Every structure is written in C-alpha cells, then in structure tokens.
PDB file of all heavy atoms in Angstrom:
ATOM      1  N   ARG E   6      -0.077  10.986   7.013  1.00 92.00           N
ATOM      2  CA  ARG E   6       0.629   9.880   6.391  1.00 92.00           C
ATOM      3  C   ARG E   6      -0.328   8.707   6.232  1.00 92.00           C
ATOM      4  O   ARG E   6      -1.337   8.620   6.917  1.00 92.00           O
ATOM      5  CB  ARG E   6       1.835   9.422   7.249  1.00 92.00           C
ATOM      6  CG  ARG E   6       2.989  10.401   7.299  1.00 92.00           C
ATOM      7  CD  ARG E   6       3.660  10.534   5.940  1.00 92.00           C
ATOM      8  NE  ARG E   6       4.806  11.410   5.951  1.00 92.00           N
ATOM      9  CZ  ARG E   6       4.792  12.683   5.560  1.00 92.00           C
ATOM     10  NH1 ARG E   6       3.692  13.251   5.172  1.00 92.00           N
ATOM     11  NH2 ARG E   6       5.907  13.389   5.557  1.00 92.00           N
ATOM     12  N   TYR E   7       0.030   7.808   5.314  1.00 90.00           N
ATOM     13  CA  TYR E   7      -0.722   6.576   5.114  1.00 90.00           C
ATOM     14  C   TYR E   7      -0.068   5.471   5.931  1.00 90.00           C
ATOM     15  O   TYR E   7       1.147   5.438   6.075  1.00 90.00           O
ATOM     16  CB  TYR E   7      -0.697   6.158   3.643  1.00 90.00           C
ATOM     17  CG  TYR E   7      -1.462   7.093   2.746  1.00 90.00           C
ATOM     18  CD1 TYR E   7      -0.824   8.134   2.080  1.00 90.00           C
ATOM     19  CD2 TYR E   7      -2.825   6.921   2.547  1.00 90.00           C
ATOM     20  CE1 TYR E   7      -1.522   8.979   1.242  1.00 90.00           C
ATOM     21  CE2 TYR E   7      -3.538   7.775   1.710  1.00 90.00           C
ATOM     22  CZ  TYR E   7      -2.880   8.806   1.061  1.00 90.00           C
ATOM     23  OH  TYR E   7      -3.571   9.649   0.236  1.00 90.00           O
ATOM     24  N   PHE E   8      -0.892   4.551   6.450  1.00 91.00           N
ATOM     25  CA  PHE E   8      -0.383   3.433   7.239  1.00 91.00           C
ATOM     26  C   PHE E   8      -1.056   2.137   6.834  1.00 91.00           C
ATOM     27  O   PHE E   8      -2.223   2.138   6.433  1.00 91.00           O
ATOM     28  CB  PHE E   8      -0.643   3.664   8.744  1.00 91.00           C
ATOM     29  CG  PHE E   8       0.152   4.781   9.328  1.00 91.00           C
ATOM     30  CD1 PHE E   8      -0.382   6.055   9.409  1.00 91.00           C
ATOM     31  CD2 PHE E   8       1.430   4.572   9.807  1.00 91.00           C
ATOM     32  CE1 PHE E   8       0.349   7.099   9.945  1.00 91.00           C
ATOM     33  CE2 PHE E   8       2.170   5.608  10.347  1.00 91.00           C
ATOM     34  CZ  PHE E   8       1.622   6.872  10.424  1.00 91.00           C
ATOM     35  N   MET E   9      -0.327   1.036   6.956  1.00 90.00           N
ATOM     36  CA  MET E   9      -0.897  -0.300   6.810  1.00 90.00           C
ATOM     37  C   MET E   9      -0.106  -1.263   7.678  1.00 90.00           C
ATOM     38  O   MET E   9       1.012  -0.960   8.083  1.00 90.00           O
ATOM     39  CB  MET E   9      -0.929  -0.757   5.344  1.00 90.00           C
ATOM     40  CG  MET E   9       0.425  -0.980   4.720  1.00 90.00           C
ATOM     41  SD  MET E   9       0.444  -1.654   3.020  1.00 90.00           S
ATOM     42  CE  MET E   9      -1.100  -1.277   2.322  1.00 90.00           C
ATOM     43  N   THR E  10      -0.708  -2.421   7.944  1.00 90.00           N
ATOM     44  CA  THR E  10      -0.005  -3.425   8.745  1.00 90.00           C
ATOM     45  C   THR E  10       1.042  -4.124   7.888  1.00 90.00           C
ATOM     46  O   THR E  10       0.959  -4.120   6.656  1.00 90.00           O
ATOM     47  CB  THR E  10      -0.978  -4.469   9.297  1.00 90.00           C
ATOM     48  OG1 THR E  10      -1.533  -5.204   8.198  1.00 90.00           O
ATOM     49  CG2 THR E  10      -2.087  -3.829  10.131  1.00 90.00           C
ATOM     50  N   ALA E  11       1.999  -4.749   8.553  1.00 89.00           N
ATOM     51  CA  ALA E  11       3.044  -5.492   7.841  1.00 89.00           C
ATOM     52  C   ALA E  11       2.429  -6.628   7.035  1.00 89.00           C
ATOM     53  O   ALA E  11       2.834  -6.880   5.893  1.00 89.00           O
ATOM     54  CB  ALA E  11       4.070  -6.037   8.827  1.00 89.00           C
ATOM     55  N   GLN E  12       1.437  -7.314   7.597  1.00 92.00           N
ATOM     56  CA  GLN E  12       0.796  -8.424   6.889  1.00 92.00           C
ATOM     57  C   GLN E  12       0.100  -7.941   5.618  1.00 92.00           C
ATOM     58  O   GLN E  12       0.230  -8.557   4.560  1.00 92.00           O
ATOM     59  CB  GLN E  12      -0.225  -9.136   7.798  1.00 92.00           C
ATOM     60  CG  GLN E  12       0.388  -9.839   8.983  1.00 92.00           C
ATOM     61  CD  GLN E  12       0.680  -8.882  10.153  1.00 92.00           C
ATOM     62  OE1 GLN E  12       0.410  -7.689  10.137  1.00 92.00           O
ATOM     63  NE2 GLN E  12       1.285  -9.449  11.195  1.00 92.00           N
ATOM     64  N   GLU E  13      -0.627  -6.827   5.717  1.00 91.00           N
ATOM     65  CA  GLU E  13      -1.316  -6.300   4.547  1.00 91.00           C
ATOM     66  C   GLU E  13      -0.313  -5.822   3.496  1.00 91.00           C
ATOM     67  O   GLU E  13      -0.473  -6.082   2.306  1.00 91.00           O
ATOM     68  CB  GLU E  13      -2.248  -5.156   4.945  1.00 91.00           C
ATOM     69  CG  GLU E  13      -3.068  -4.647   3.768  1.00 91.00           C
ATOM     70  CD  GLU E  13      -4.021  -3.522   4.145  1.00 91.00           C
ATOM     71  OE1 GLU E  13      -3.818  -2.863   5.175  1.00 91.00           O
ATOM     72  OE2 GLU E  13      -4.959  -3.296   3.374  1.00 91.00           O
ATOM     73  N   ALA E  14       0.745  -5.139   3.928  1.00 90.00           N
ATOM     74  CA  ALA E  14       1.758  -4.658   2.989  1.00 90.00           C
ATOM     75  C   ALA E  14       2.417  -5.822   2.263  1.00 90.00           C
ATOM     76  O   ALA E  14       2.552  -5.796   1.035  1.00 90.00           O
ATOM     77  CB  ALA E  14       2.816  -3.829   3.726  1.00 90.00           C
ATOM     78  N   ALA E  15       2.811  -6.858   2.991  1.00 92.00           N
ATOM     79  CA  ALA E  15       3.477  -8.015   2.371  1.00 92.00           C
ATOM     80  C   ALA E  15       2.556  -8.696   1.369  1.00 92.00           C
ATOM     81  O   ALA E  15       2.961  -9.027   0.245  1.00 92.00           O
ATOM     82  CB  ALA E  15       3.913  -9.008   3.446  1.00 92.00           C
ATOM     83  N   ARG E  16       1.298  -8.890   1.758  1.00 93.00           N
ATOM     84  CA  ARG E  16       0.341  -9.557   0.865  1.00 93.00           C
ATOM     85  C   ARG E  16       0.138  -8.743  -0.422  1.00 93.00           C
ATOM     86  O   ARG E  16       0.198  -9.273  -1.525  1.00 93.00           O
ATOM     87  CB  ARG E  16      -0.990  -9.766   1.576  1.00 93.00           C
ATOM     88  CG  ARG E  16      -2.027 -10.503   0.739  1.00 93.00           C
ATOM     89  CD  ARG E  16      -3.323 -10.736   1.489  1.00 93.00           C
ATOM     90  NE  ARG E  16      -3.888  -9.557   2.142  1.00 93.00           N
ATOM     91  CZ  ARG E  16      -4.553  -8.598   1.507  1.00 93.00           C
ATOM     92  NH1 ARG E  16      -4.731  -8.653   0.202  1.00 93.00           N
ATOM     93  NH2 ARG E  16      -5.043  -7.560   2.184  1.00 93.00           N
ATOM     94  N   LEU E  17      -0.064  -7.443  -0.277  1.00 92.00           N
ATOM     95  CA  LEU E  17      -0.312  -6.612  -1.451  1.00 92.00           C
ATOM     96  C   LEU E  17       0.923  -6.461  -2.336  1.00 92.00           C
ATOM     97  O   LEU E  17       0.810  -6.413  -3.559  1.00 92.00           O
ATOM     98  CB  LEU E  17      -0.849  -5.233  -1.033  1.00 92.00           C
ATOM     99  CG  LEU E  17      -2.295  -5.218  -0.548  1.00 92.00           C
ATOM    100  CD1 LEU E  17      -2.660  -3.845   0.000  1.00 92.00           C
ATOM    101  CD2 LEU E  17      -3.250  -5.609  -1.674  1.00 92.00           C
ATOM    102  N   VAL E  18       2.102  -6.395  -1.742  1.00 92.00           N
ATOM    103  CA  VAL E  18       3.326  -6.308  -2.547  1.00 92.00           C
ATOM    104  C   VAL E  18       3.500  -7.584  -3.368  1.00 92.00           C
ATOM    105  O   VAL E  18       3.839  -7.533  -4.560  1.00 92.00           O
ATOM    106  CB  VAL E  18       4.561  -6.022  -1.669  1.00 92.00           C
ATOM    107  CG1 VAL E  18       5.859  -6.260  -2.424  1.00 92.00           C
ATOM    108  CG2 VAL E  18       4.514  -4.585  -1.150  1.00 92.00           C
ATOM    109  N   LEU E  19       3.255  -8.737  -2.768  1.00 93.00           N
ATOM    110  CA  LEU E  19       3.357 -10.002  -3.513  1.00 93.00           C
ATOM    111  C   LEU E  19       2.312 -10.070  -4.627  1.00 93.00           C
ATOM    112  O   LEU E  19       2.614 -10.504  -5.749  1.00 93.00           O
ATOM    113  CB  LEU E  19       3.213 -11.194  -2.568  1.00 93.00           C
ATOM    114  CG  LEU E  19       4.392 -11.423  -1.633  1.00 93.00           C
ATOM    115  CD1 LEU E  19       4.070 -12.512  -0.612  1.00 93.00           C
ATOM    116  CD2 LEU E  19       5.658 -11.750  -2.395  1.00 93.00           C
ATOM    117  N   GLU E  20       1.100  -9.630  -4.339  1.00 93.00           N
ATOM    118  CA  GLU E  20       0.066  -9.624  -5.375  1.00 93.00           C
ATOM    119  C   GLU E  20       0.412  -8.637  -6.486  1.00 93.00           C
ATOM    120  O   GLU E  20       0.191  -8.922  -7.665  1.00 93.00           O
ATOM    121  CB  GLU E  20      -1.294  -9.320  -4.760  1.00 93.00           C
ATOM    122  CG  GLU E  20      -1.795 -10.456  -3.880  1.00 93.00           C
ATOM    123  CD  GLU E  20      -3.177 -10.210  -3.301  1.00 93.00           C
ATOM    124  OE1 GLU E  20      -4.039  -9.676  -4.025  1.00 93.00           O
ATOM    125  OE2 GLU E  20      -3.386 -10.564  -2.129  1.00 93.00           O
ATOM    126  N   ALA E  21       0.969  -7.491  -6.120  1.00 92.00           N
ATOM    127  CA  ALA E  21       1.381  -6.502  -7.129  1.00 92.00           C
ATOM    128  C   ALA E  21       2.471  -7.073  -8.024  1.00 92.00           C
ATOM    129  O   ALA E  21       2.451  -6.886  -9.246  1.00 92.00           O
ATOM    130  CB  ALA E  21       1.854  -5.215  -6.451  1.00 92.00           C
ATOM    131  N   ALA E  22       3.424  -7.776  -7.434  1.00 90.00           N
ATOM    132  CA  ALA E  22       4.500  -8.390  -8.220  1.00 90.00           C
ATOM    133  C   ALA E  22       3.942  -9.420  -9.188  1.00 90.00           C
ATOM    134  O   ALA E  22       4.432  -9.560 -10.313  1.00 90.00           O
ATOM    135  CB  ALA E  22       5.534  -9.027  -7.294  1.00 90.00           C
ATOM    136  N   ALA E  23       2.911 -10.125  -8.776  1.00 91.00           N
ATOM    137  CA  ALA E  23       2.320 -11.159  -9.631  1.00 91.00           C
ATOM    138  C   ALA E  23       1.564 -10.562 -10.815  1.00 91.00           C
ATOM    139  O   ALA E  23       1.585 -11.123 -11.910  1.00 91.00           O
ATOM    140  CB  ALA E  23       1.390 -12.054  -8.814  1.00 91.00           C
ATOM    141  N   ILE E  24       0.918  -9.422 -10.627  1.00 91.00           N
ATOM    142  CA  ILE E  24       0.102  -8.864 -11.721  1.00 91.00           C
ATOM    143  C   ILE E  24       0.821  -7.783 -12.520  1.00 91.00           C
ATOM    144  O   ILE E  24       0.390  -7.435 -13.605  1.00 91.00           O
ATOM    145  CB  ILE E  24      -1.245  -8.306 -11.201  1.00 91.00           C
ATOM    146  CG1 ILE E  24      -1.035  -7.104 -10.274  1.00 91.00           C
ATOM    147  CG2 ILE E  24      -2.060  -9.383 -10.531  1.00 91.00           C
ATOM    148  CD1 ILE E  24      -2.326  -6.408  -9.870  1.00 91.00           C
ATOM    149  N   GLY E  25       1.935  -7.251 -11.993  1.00 87.00           N
ATOM    150  CA  GLY E  25       2.612  -6.143 -12.654  1.00 87.00           C
ATOM    151  C   GLY E  25       3.442  -6.570 -13.844  1.00 87.00           C
ATOM    152  O   GLY E  25       3.850  -7.717 -13.969  1.00 87.00           O
ATOM    153  N   SER E  26       3.692  -5.596 -14.720  1.00 83.00           N
ATOM    154  CA  SER E  26       4.552  -5.842 -15.868  1.00 83.00           C
ATOM    155  C   SER E  26       5.742  -4.888 -15.820  1.00 83.00           C
ATOM    156  O   SER E  26       5.729  -3.895 -15.101  1.00 83.00           O
ATOM    157  CB  SER E  26       3.773  -5.683 -17.176  1.00 83.00           C
ATOM    158  OG  SER E  26       3.259  -4.374 -17.297  1.00 83.00           O
ATOM    159  N   SER E  27       6.761  -5.193 -16.584  1.00 79.00           N
ATOM    160  CA  SER E  27       7.997  -4.429 -16.558  1.00 79.00           C
ATOM    161  C   SER E  27       7.739  -2.955 -16.871  1.00 79.00           C
ATOM    162  O   SER E  27       6.983  -2.627 -17.780  1.00 79.00           O
ATOM    163  CB  SER E  27       8.982  -5.019 -17.565  1.00 79.00           C
ATOM    164  OG  SER E  27      10.288  -4.573 -17.272  1.00 79.00           O
ATOM    165  N   GLY E  28       8.363  -2.086 -16.109  1.00 76.00           N
ATOM    166  CA  GLY E  28       8.240  -0.645 -16.314  1.00 76.00           C
ATOM    167  C   GLY E  28       7.056  -0.031 -15.608  1.00 76.00           C
ATOM    168  O   GLY E  28       6.873   1.179 -15.654  1.00 76.00           O
ATOM    169  N   GLU E  29       6.269  -0.822 -14.925  1.00 82.00           N
ATOM    170  CA  GLU E  29       5.080  -0.318 -14.268  1.00 82.00           C
ATOM    171  C   GLU E  29       5.388   0.199 -12.867  1.00 82.00           C
ATOM    172  O   GLU E  29       6.293  -0.285 -12.196  1.00 82.00           O
ATOM    173  CB  GLU E  29       4.056  -1.458 -14.117  1.00 82.00           C
ATOM    174  CG  GLU E  29       2.755  -1.176 -14.758  1.00 82.00           C
ATOM    175  CD  GLU E  29       1.812  -2.370 -14.668  1.00 82.00           C
ATOM    176  OE1 GLU E  29       2.224  -3.512 -14.411  1.00 82.00           O
ATOM    177  OE2 GLU E  29       0.633  -2.111 -14.875  1.00 82.00           O
ATOM    178  N   LEU E  30       4.619   1.167 -12.454  1.00 84.00           N
ATOM    179  CA  LEU E  30       4.602   1.624 -11.079  1.00 84.00           C
ATOM    180  C   LEU E  30       3.251   1.204 -10.536  1.00 84.00           C
ATOM    181  O   LEU E  30       2.215   1.603 -11.063  1.00 84.00           O
ATOM    182  CB  LEU E  30       4.757   3.148 -10.993  1.00 84.00           C
ATOM    183  CG  LEU E  30       4.520   3.773  -9.619  1.00 84.00           C
ATOM    184  CD1 LEU E  30       5.547   3.268  -8.613  1.00 84.00           C
ATOM    185  CD2 LEU E  30       4.552   5.282  -9.717  1.00 84.00           C
ATOM    186  N   LEU E  31       3.253   0.352  -9.510  1.00 88.00           N
ATOM    187  CA  LEU E  31       2.013  -0.097  -8.891  1.00 88.00           C
ATOM    188  C   LEU E  31       1.849   0.639  -7.574  1.00 88.00           C
ATOM    189  O   LEU E  31       2.784   0.740  -6.774  1.00 88.00           O
ATOM    190  CB  LEU E  31       2.034  -1.606  -8.687  1.00 88.00           C
ATOM    191  CG  LEU E  31       2.110  -2.376 -10.015  1.00 88.00           C
ATOM    192  CD1 LEU E  31       2.378  -3.841  -9.776  1.00 88.00           C
ATOM    193  CD2 LEU E  31       0.838  -2.199 -10.815  1.00 88.00           C
ATOM    194  N   ILE E  32       0.671   1.190  -7.358  1.00 88.00           N
ATOM    195  CA  ILE E  32       0.389   2.003  -6.184  1.00 88.00           C
ATOM    196  C   ILE E  32      -0.696   1.307  -5.381  1.00 88.00           C
ATOM    197  O   ILE E  32      -1.751   0.968  -5.915  1.00 88.00           O
ATOM    198  CB  ILE E  32      -0.056   3.420  -6.602  1.00 88.00           C
ATOM    199  CG1 ILE E  32       1.032   4.066  -7.465  1.00 88.00           C
ATOM    200  CG2 ILE E  32      -0.369   4.259  -5.382  1.00 88.00           C
ATOM    201  CD1 ILE E  32       0.609   5.335  -8.158  1.00 88.00           C
ATOM    202  N   LEU E  33      -0.416   1.086  -4.106  1.00 89.00           N
ATOM    203  CA  LEU E  33      -1.368   0.404  -3.239  1.00 89.00           C
ATOM    204  C   LEU E  33      -2.357   1.402  -2.652  1.00 89.00           C
ATOM    205  O   LEU E  33      -1.968   2.490  -2.214  1.00 89.00           O
ATOM    206  CB  LEU E  33      -0.637  -0.318  -2.107  1.00 89.00           C
ATOM    207  CG  LEU E  33       0.461  -1.299  -2.508  1.00 89.00           C
ATOM    208  CD1 LEU E  33       1.007  -2.003  -1.278  1.00 89.00           C
ATOM    209  CD2 LEU E  33      -0.027  -2.301  -3.533  1.00 89.00           C
ATOM    210  N   ASP E  34      -3.623   1.029  -2.647  1.00 87.00           N
ATOM    211  CA  ASP E  34      -4.664   1.831  -2.011  1.00 87.00           C
ATOM    212  C   ASP E  34      -4.561   1.619  -0.512  1.00 87.00           C
ATOM    213  O   ASP E  34      -4.784   0.520  -0.016  1.00 87.00           O
ATOM    214  CB  ASP E  34      -6.038   1.396  -2.521  1.00 87.00           C
ATOM    215  CG  ASP E  34      -7.179   2.141  -1.840  1.00 87.00           C
ATOM    216  OD1 ASP E  34      -6.927   3.006  -0.973  1.00 87.00           O
ATOM    217  OD2 ASP E  34      -8.337   1.846  -2.176  1.00 87.00           O
ATOM    218  N   MET E  35      -4.208   2.657   0.205  1.00 85.00           N
ATOM    219  CA  MET E  35      -4.013   2.544   1.644  1.00 85.00           C
ATOM    220  C   MET E  35      -5.122   3.228   2.420  1.00 85.00           C
ATOM    221  O   MET E  35      -4.992   3.504   3.605  1.00 85.00           O
ATOM    222  CB  MET E  35      -2.652   3.131   2.018  1.00 85.00           C
ATOM    223  CG  MET E  35      -1.522   2.373   1.368  1.00 85.00           C
ATOM    224  SD  MET E  35       0.062   2.800   2.014  1.00 85.00           S
ATOM    225  CE  MET E  35      -0.068   2.269   3.706  1.00 85.00           C
ATOM    226  N   GLY E  36      -6.227   3.510   1.753  1.00 85.00           N
ATOM    227  CA  GLY E  36      -7.326   4.163   2.446  1.00 85.00           C
ATOM    228  C   GLY E  36      -7.052   5.643   2.634  1.00 85.00           C
ATOM    229  O   GLY E  36      -6.358   6.270   1.850  1.00 85.00           O
ATOM    230  N   GLU E  37      -7.597   6.169   3.698  1.00 90.00           N
ATOM    231  CA  GLU E  37      -7.453   7.594   3.983  1.00 90.00           C
ATOM    232  C   GLU E  37      -6.171   7.860   4.771  1.00 90.00           C
ATOM    233  O   GLU E  37      -5.803   7.068   5.630  1.00 90.00           O
ATOM    234  CB  GLU E  37      -8.658   8.088   4.791  1.00 90.00           C
ATOM    235  CG  GLU E  37      -9.966   8.025   4.023  1.00 90.00           C
ATOM    236  CD  GLU E  37      -9.952   8.892   2.786  1.00 90.00           C
ATOM    237  OE1 GLU E  37      -9.497  10.059   2.863  1.00 90.00           O
ATOM    238  OE2 GLU E  37     -10.373   8.390   1.729  1.00 90.00           O
ATOM    239  N   PRO E  38      -5.514   8.986   4.509  1.00 91.00           N
ATOM    240  CA  PRO E  38      -4.334   9.322   5.309  1.00 91.00           C
ATOM    241  C   PRO E  38      -4.740   9.629   6.745  1.00 91.00           C
ATOM    242  O   PRO E  38      -5.866  10.052   7.014  1.00 91.00           O
ATOM    243  CB  PRO E  38      -3.768  10.561   4.609  1.00 91.00           C
ATOM    244  CG  PRO E  38      -4.892  11.121   3.832  1.00 91.00           C
ATOM    245  CD  PRO E  38      -5.815   9.990   3.499  1.00 91.00           C
ATOM    246  N   ILE E  39      -3.815   9.416   7.647  1.00 93.00           N
ATOM    247  CA  ILE E  39      -4.059   9.630   9.071  1.00 93.00           C
ATOM    248  C   ILE E  39      -3.267  10.847   9.523  1.00 93.00           C
ATOM    249  O   ILE E  39      -2.087  10.991   9.184  1.00 93.00           O
ATOM    250  CB  ILE E  39      -3.652   8.379   9.877  1.00 93.00           C
ATOM    251  CG1 ILE E  39      -4.572   7.235   9.489  1.00 93.00           C
ATOM    252  CG2 ILE E  39      -3.673   8.648  11.371  1.00 93.00           C
ATOM    253  CD1 ILE E  39      -4.266   5.928  10.144  1.00 93.00           C
ATOM    254  N   LYS E  40      -3.912  11.687  10.268  1.00 96.00           N
ATOM    255  CA  LYS E  40      -3.253  12.865  10.814  1.00 96.00           C
ATOM    256  C   LYS E  40      -2.318  12.402  11.936  1.00 96.00           C
ATOM    257  O   LYS E  40      -2.737  11.748  12.889  1.00 96.00           O
ATOM    258  CB  LYS E  40      -4.309  13.836  11.338  1.00 96.00           C
ATOM    259  CG  LYS E  40      -3.831  15.215  11.585  1.00 96.00           C
ATOM    260  CD  LYS E  40      -5.025  16.107  11.867  1.00 96.00           C
ATOM    261  CE  LYS E  40      -4.587  17.482  12.266  1.00 96.00           C
ATOM    262  NZ  LYS E  40      -5.751  18.328  12.572  1.00 96.00           N
ATOM    263  N   ILE E  41      -1.046  12.722  11.812  1.00 96.00           N
ATOM    264  CA  ILE E  41      -0.030  12.269  12.764  1.00 96.00           C
ATOM    265  C   ILE E  41      -0.337  12.771  14.178  1.00 96.00           C
ATOM    266  O   ILE E  41      -0.153  12.048  15.152  1.00 96.00           O
ATOM    267  CB  ILE E  41       1.380  12.712  12.316  1.00 96.00           C
ATOM    268  CG1 ILE E  41       1.745  12.056  10.980  1.00 96.00           C
ATOM    269  CG2 ILE E  41       2.415  12.403  13.381  1.00 96.00           C
ATOM    270  CD1 ILE E  41       1.873  10.551  11.030  1.00 96.00           C
ATOM    271  N   LEU E  42      -0.845  13.979  14.296  1.00 97.00           N
ATOM    272  CA  LEU E  42      -1.182  14.505  15.622  1.00 97.00           C
ATOM    273  C   LEU E  42      -2.274  13.656  16.271  1.00 97.00           C
ATOM    274  O   LEU E  42      -2.196  13.357  17.468  1.00 97.00           O
ATOM    275  CB  LEU E  42      -1.603  15.970  15.532  1.00 97.00           C
ATOM    276  CG  LEU E  42      -1.968  16.629  16.863  1.00 97.00           C
ATOM    277  CD1 LEU E  42      -0.815  16.551  17.857  1.00 97.00           C
ATOM    278  CD2 LEU E  42      -2.391  18.073  16.632  1.00 97.00           C
TER     279      LEU E  42
END
C-alpha cells in the first residue's frame, strides 16, 4: 500500500484543488508502495 502523512496529504490535496480543472482526476505521487508485512 501507499502511505503519506496527514500534513502531506492535506497540503497536496489543497494544491491539487488549486491547479485542477473540472472533470480531471488528479493523482498524487506517493513514492514507492510499502509492503504491509
């Protein structure tokens, strides 16, 4: 699974909302997935 901190998620979601346009899907780069085990 991918993980990020709450602060990073909030910041990137706000930035995505600022640059996105209607009908867009914005995908955040979360780095490499982490093995749950």
Side-chain angles (χ1 to χ4, degrees):
R6 290 293 183 261
Y7 292 94
F8 292 94
M9 67 175 22
T10 65
Q12 294 82 2
E13 184 179 20
R16 182 178 50 78
L17 286 173
V18 166
L19 289 172
E20 291 183 40
I24 65 173
S26 60
S27 198
E29 238 176 343
L30 170 63
L31 297 170
I32 302 169
L33 305 184
D34 177 0
M35 298 192 64
E37 295 299 315
I39 294 177
K40 196 170 174 182
I41 297 295
L42 180 57

